[in-house]
Amino acid sequence: MTSEVYVIDKSSGRRIVLEGKMTVGRAESCDIQLQGTGISRSHGLFELSEGQLIFTDLGSSNGSFVNGEKLTQTQALYEGEILSIGDCELEVHSGVERSEGSAAEDDATAFISMSGQQDDLPAMWSDSAGLESDSHTQFAAAPSESAATGAYRQGSLELPAIGSSPRLVSITAEQRGQEFPLDADGEEQVCWNIGRDSSCDIVVADASVSGQHAQLIRDGRRWKVVNWMSTNGTFVNGSKGLSTYLKHGDIIGLGKVELAFELPAGMEASNMQTPSRKRGLFARLLDRIRGR
């Protein structure tokens, strides 16, 4: 195994050393900033844990690919593999060779036994590659609107007053009122890992929540929740999704736990604004032809 883990941008030859958790995307706030076509502001997340390099797509518009195959879940990266982010190709140098055993483990995630409780859970929403094989996460049925959600909508739940930062606050009876402020590392933090595992930024101690369940992403002035490696899926206002933009008062369902996403007064309006989009290549060419 090499002492240093890095990727090489094949177009520029740039060598990017990877340590711990590093976000990658077009935004200046990302640890690794890439410029190019098809790259989202907060595109993905590299994680280096005990010598193994792992990559998670953070709900990007165009997806991420390894050796030409689109990622549908968090995936381990091996020596010599090509990670494609938009039109940028990154060659992986992790010092860890892919073996037949590791390939079989990756494929095995599509065949997790549900023991008869198959609530139409796609394989890509299941815990991946043995990361939760011994965690005994409890299966939960797809949620309908709960009494707690109804009471929250009516404003009849007693919850702590929100401070000056965005937050998640539990409305589930057992954890009701537990707050998770979203300002832990200041303005530079763009990703919060949510799960039962103690290594997560937001630890939700419930058996129906996966060890690494979801990620909350700050995308400029907007926020979104991305399903990570969960058994029971991630829901927003009762609808299952891989990546969902949030507004003030939305209810995030993780297993049997419900968390309200809240913004301080003054931040709600800006969060609803749709970010400006660059005109497409074809549209820009037409503008040139027309002399605009």
Side-chain angles (χ1 to χ4, degrees), residues 1 18 24 30 42 49 52-53 122 193 218 252 271 278:
M1 181 182 296
L18 303 174
V24 58
C30 288
S42 299
S49 177
Q52 178 64 68
L53 182 61
N193 294 337
R218 188 177 66 217
I252 300 171
N271 192 61
K278 185 185 291 185

Side-chain angles (χ1 to χ4, degrees), residues 5-7 18-24 32 44-58 64 66 71 73-79 81 83 85 92-94 96 98 106 128-131 193 199 212 215 228-229:
V5 176
Y6 60 96
V7 294
L18 303 174
E19 298 177 333
K21 298 180 181 179
M22 299 180 72
T23 53
V24 58
I32 303 169
L45 176 70
F46 287 105
E47 295 184 74
L48 186 60
S49 177
E50 297 181 356
Q52 178 64 68
L53 182 61
I54 300 171
F55 183 81
T56 303
D57 186 282
L58 298 178
S64 304
V66 174
L71 296 185
Q73 60 186 21
T74 294
Q75 183 163 318
L77 300 178
Y78 297 92
E79 181 71 25
E81 292 187 329
L83 172 65
I85 298 176
V92 177
H93 292 271
S94 65
V96 179
R98 178 181 287 276
D106 287 345
S128 78
L131 289 175
N193 294 337
S199 65
Q212 298 170 319
Q215 293 176 317
W228 193 7
M229 292 183 286

Side-chain angles (χ1 to χ4, degrees), residues 4 14 20 31 45 56 77 92 103 106 150 158 168 176 178 183 186 195-196 216 218 243 257 269 273-274 280 285:
E4 197 170 57
R14 174 186 171 197
D31 300 306
L45 176 70
T56 303
L77 300 178
V92 177
D106 287 345
E158 292 187 9
L168 296 178
R176 185 166 298 160
Q178 184 178 4
D183 60 351
R196 201 173 70 243
L216 193 67
R218 188 177 66 217
S243 177
V257 175
Q273 294 177 5
T274 302
L285 288 173

Side-chain angles (χ1 to χ4, degrees), residues 114-153:
M114 296 295 189
S115 301
Q117 302 186 49
Q118 301 181 24
D119 290 318
D120 194 27
L121 297 175
M124 61 182 163
W125 290 0
S126 298
D127 295 1
S128 78
L131 289 175
E132 282 216 314
S133 59
D134 298 320
S135 68
H136 307 295
T137 300
Q138 293 179 1
F139 289 99
S144 55
E145 182 165 308
S146 67
T149 296
Y152 176 81
R153 301 283 188 217

Side-chain angles (χ1 to χ4, degrees), residues 235-249:
F235 294 76
V236 176
N237 300 328
S239 297
K240 182 183 278 187
L242 288 176
S243 177
T244 307
Y245 277 101
L246 300 170
K247 61 182 182 299
H248 176 76

Side-chain angles (χ1 to χ4, degrees), residues 7 16 35 43 46 69 96 132 138 141 144-145 156 158 170 179 197 211 219 266 284-285 290:
V7 294
I16 305 167
Q35 298 296 333
H43 197 109
F46 287 105
E69 296 290 329
V96 179
E132 282 216 314
Q138 293 179 1
S144 55
E145 182 165 308
S156 59
E158 292 187 9
S170 177
E179 294 182 278
D197 194 275
D219 184 8
R284 297 200 303 272
L285 288 173
R290 294 167 180 168

